[in-house]
Amino acid sequence: MSDLEAETVISQIICCINNGPLHSPDCYVNVNSFIVKKHPQLASSTLERLFWFSLLQKDAYAQARISIVSNAIKFRGIKLQVSKAEEKVLMNSNAKDDERRENNIGVYVYPILPATLQKKIINKLEKRLDHKFDAYQYYYASIYDLPLDLKYLDKFIAQAVPDPNRPNFQAMLGSETENKYPMFDMLLNLCFKMEIDLKKITDLNFFGYGDYYDWLLDIANFDYSKFKVRWIGLYATKFYFAAFRKHPVIKSTLETYLKSKRDNRMERLYIDLYNPLNIESVED
């Protein structure tokens, strides 16, 4: 497909959505997939047009589309020039309908906004967190590098302390695994991203919730007679992997395992971890 053809398809997509809802959810999935594949062929002006158009849409896949287009604009190093009318749309996008949706959109678009609007996004989000702390919104914004006040990290840590008595969704489905505390998983992911030692920033005790978590809290000093190689892939984020690469014992333990067993999943995991082509920053 030529660049001109890709541009034409985008114009047709905008026209179709403007005329009413598409026939099925699959149509929106295909639209987003097309943008993912073809955005390098689109003019920057077309990406900006698509961004502002998507911001006004309320279909279930609009948030994903905004994220895709924002990342494409960010990749080109573009900062949007936002008019007063556009700023009003941006800062009040569906605020009355879904506050969390608006916060998510703020996270997506933050990198492509001028500094004045970035500050407004941060102030608005922090005001909401002060009014009612939402751990998931804080985590999401922090993972996407929004510079929030560190006081919110303490609140997040307090909410992430595991509660063994709380019903576990995985166990209810009969698929319980060692990583059974989602908020704890998120906290560790954030700590790995920020390169901070959880033990050094809180007096709360996070040990004793299973060997898996005890390992993640102190990888270097863990008793590897208790180690299970499947733990490496239980929460496969780029921040976990970056932390694992710092510890040669993980690589040697995995290599020892693969020498004695044929395990396609762990072989793939080894490649993901240690192939130099994979050890580079990727989009969140």
Side-chain angles (χ1 to χ4, degrees):
M1 178 178 287
S2 68
D3 294 354
L4 179 59
E5 289 171 330
E7 294 272 355
T8 300
V9 171
I10 290 296
S11 295
Q12 292 171 340
I13 287 172
I14 291 175
C15 182
C16 286
I17 296 177
N18 263 333
N19 287 334
L22 301 183
H23 294 299
S24 73
D26 287 345
C27 294
Y28 292 103
V29 172
N30 290 334
V31 165
N32 289 2
S33 178
F34 180 84
I35 297 171
V36 168
K37 294 176 181 177
K38 298 300 180 181
H39 73 77
Q41 295 181 248
L42 302 177
S44 296
S45 59
T46 301
L47 285 175
E48 293 186 31
R49 177 189 174 203
L50 188 57
F51 169 81
W52 291 111
F53 171 76
S54 299
L55 198 63
L56 296 173
Q57 305 309 307
K58 296 184 180 182
D59 62 86
Y61 298 88
Q63 279 193 61
R65 194 155 55 253
I66 293 167
S67 176
I68 293 165
V69 177
S70 296
N71 275 332
I73 295 173
K74 173 186 172 183
F75 183 77
R76 298 188 185 189
I78 297 172
K79 294 286 186 181
L80 295 180
Q81 299 300 311
V82 183
S83 68
K84 288 295 183 181
E86 290 170 336
E87 178 181 339
K88 186 175 180 179
V89 171
L90 179 64
M91 299 302 293
N92 296 283
S93 177
N94 296 300
K96 294 181 179 180
D97 297 331
D98 188 343
E99 187 174 285
R100 181 168 286 185
R101 179 185 188 278
E102 184 192 4
N103 289 340
N104 289 346
I105 290 173
V107 169
Y108 298 146
V109 306
Y110 179 87
I112 61 175
L113 295 178
T116 53
L117 279 182
Q118 287 182 335
K119 186 175 181 179
K120 289 182 179 181
I121 292 284
I122 294 296
N123 290 341
K124 193 169 188 178
L125 179 54
E126 289 189 339
K127 184 177 180 180
R128 286 178 172 169
L129 292 173
D130 286 334
H131 175 69
K132 183 180 180 181
F133 183 73
D134 185 324
Y136 287 93
Q137 281 301 305
Y138 166 74
Y139 171 78
Y140 203 49
S142 297
I143 286 294
Y144 273 80
D145 295 318
L146 272 67
L148 299 176
D149 193 300
L150 285 176
K151 68 181 181 181
Y152 301 112
L153 178 59
D154 291 333
K155 294 183 178 182
F156 185 72
I157 290 172
Q159 290 196 13
V161 177
D163 180 2
N165 297 317
R166 186 174 182 178
N168 182 271
F169 185 69
Q170 291 176 321
M172 292 170 62
L173 294 177
S175 59
E176 185 174 5
T177 63
E178 287 92 340
N179 63 324
K180 54 188 175 182
Y181 301 114
M183 192 75 72
F184 195 3
D185 297 330
M186 292 159 58
L187 173 59
L188 289 167
N189 194 41
L190 194 57
C191 287
F192 288 145
K193 171 183 167 56
M194 299 170 71
E195 298 185 328
I196 56 178
D197 186 342
L198 181 59
K199 304 186 297 298
K200 295 181 179 179
I201 62 171
T202 180
D203 293 328
L204 295 172
N205 179 35
F206 280 88
F207 284 96
Y209 294 100
D211 289 340
Y212 168 71
Y213 288 112
D214 287 351
W215 166 62
L216 291 172
L217 288 167
D218 197 354
I219 294 174
N221 298 306
F222 184 73
D223 178 1
Y224 276 81
S225 68
K226 302 177 182 179
F227 182 73
K228 299 176 182 177
V229 292
R230 67 171 180 269
W231 292 351
I232 300 172
L234 287 182
Y235 204 74
T237 76
K238 68 178 183 179
F239 305 120
Y240 269 59
F241 282 7
F244 294 166
R245 292 187 191 104
K246 297 176 182 178
H247 298 276
V249 64
I250 295 178
K251 184 178 182 182
S252 62
T253 301
L254 182 53
E255 288 176 342
T256 298
Y257 171 83
L258 291 175
K259 286 177 181 177
S260 61
K261 293 186 180 180
R262 183 65 185 270
D263 186 327
N264 291 336
R265 181 173 179 273
M266 300 312 297
E267 288 172 1
R268 178 70 256 179
L269 198 61
Y270 183 89
I271 294 173
D272 290 340
L273 267 168
Y274 300 112
N275 185 338
L277 296 177
N278 294 334
I279 306 176
E280 59 185 11
S281 297
V282 295
E283 293 295 336
D284 292 298

